[in-house]
Amino acid sequence: MFWWQDEVGHGVRVAFTDCGAGNLALHTGDDPAAVRERRAALEREMGVGGGSLLFLEQVHGTEVADADRPDRPAVPTADAAVTATGVPLAVMVADCLPVVLVATGPEGPVTAVAHAGRRGLLDGVLERTVEQVRARGARGLAAWIGPSVCGSCYEVPAAMQEESVRRIPAVAATTAWGSPALDLRAGARDRLAGLGVDVTEPTAAGPSCTLENERLSSHRRDPRSGRFVGLVWRATPGDRAERAA
Ligand SMILES: [Zn+2]
């Protein structure tokens, strides 16, 4: 079910799913009942309450949802989310970068997720997310970048490459077959490092490139393959009891 998962300290777990968890998106033409059943199975595997995992209506923007707001919609329209109370967070991807952030806040961990595709990355979704984590008094930010299409596979028209490189020079790349490409991972590393965030790129069995690894959903390889997710949640019973108090 998980391509990679680990406890990253303070009882916080970070994970990225693979095809074992199946398509977790409701917007890709899949049977909604099947998607809901897969989401429920994922929540059981994570050990979080049924229906507690926050999904987003992702629009390639830079909006950061406050998962702790009592009046927030059940499915906020945003490409990132932040919580200081341990709401389990999910971000859906299939070639775009799933980015998970964890930091130490005044009253426990502050966690966030972001969907960084080309548009969001260039427009500053990572900057906005880091800003919102820090706005909660958090320090010691660490980021995990999950599987995405790699710079040797992500072919784009020359004009799109130019526009992107003007904003973030680090995304310049060439495909394995010699045409213009974008390395969004390099761009994300560059942005996060510039913001003083410690970056980890987990490795697991097989390539971390979604296009090359058939255990991961890739929109470019198969538009109907759906989405996998990046996840962050608190796993220790102590944290849950604290939250309930
Ligand atoms: Zn690749």
Side-chain angles (χ1 to χ4, degrees), residues 79-214:
D79 285 86
V82 61
T83 176
T85 67
V87 175
L89 304 177
V91 66
M92 298 177 287
V93 288
D95 295 339
C96 292
L97 276 64
V99 180
V100 174
L101 287 158
V102 180
T104 308
E107 286 158 29
V110 176
T111 55
V113 291
H115 161 235
R118 188 186 73 89
R119 198 68 263 162
L121 181 69
L122 295 181
D123 290 345
V125 70
L126 295 179
E127 287 87 337
R128 292 283 304 275
T129 309
V130 166
E131 186 184 294
Q132 286 304 311
V133 170
R134 291 199 165 126
R136 281 151 183 79
R139 293 173 297 113
L141 272 69
W144 284 260
I145 304 176
S148 69
V149 65
C150 80
S152 305
C153 290
Y154 186 26
E155 182 175 53
V156 294
M160 185 183 280
Q161 188 197 43
E162 267 171 44
E163 181 216 338
S164 308
V165 170
R166 260 202 306 278
R167 297 236 206 156
I168 306 181
V171 298
T174 306
T175 58
W177 52 98
S179 55
L182 294 176
D183 187 341
L184 298 185
R185 305 183 68 84
R189 276 198 302 272
D190 175 76
R191 289 286 120 135
L192 290 166
L195 294 162
V197 178
D198 200 46
V199 178
T200 300
E201 293 178 79
T203 52
S208 61
C209 171
T210 44
L211 198 79
E212 295 171 65
N213 189 337
E214 297 208 341

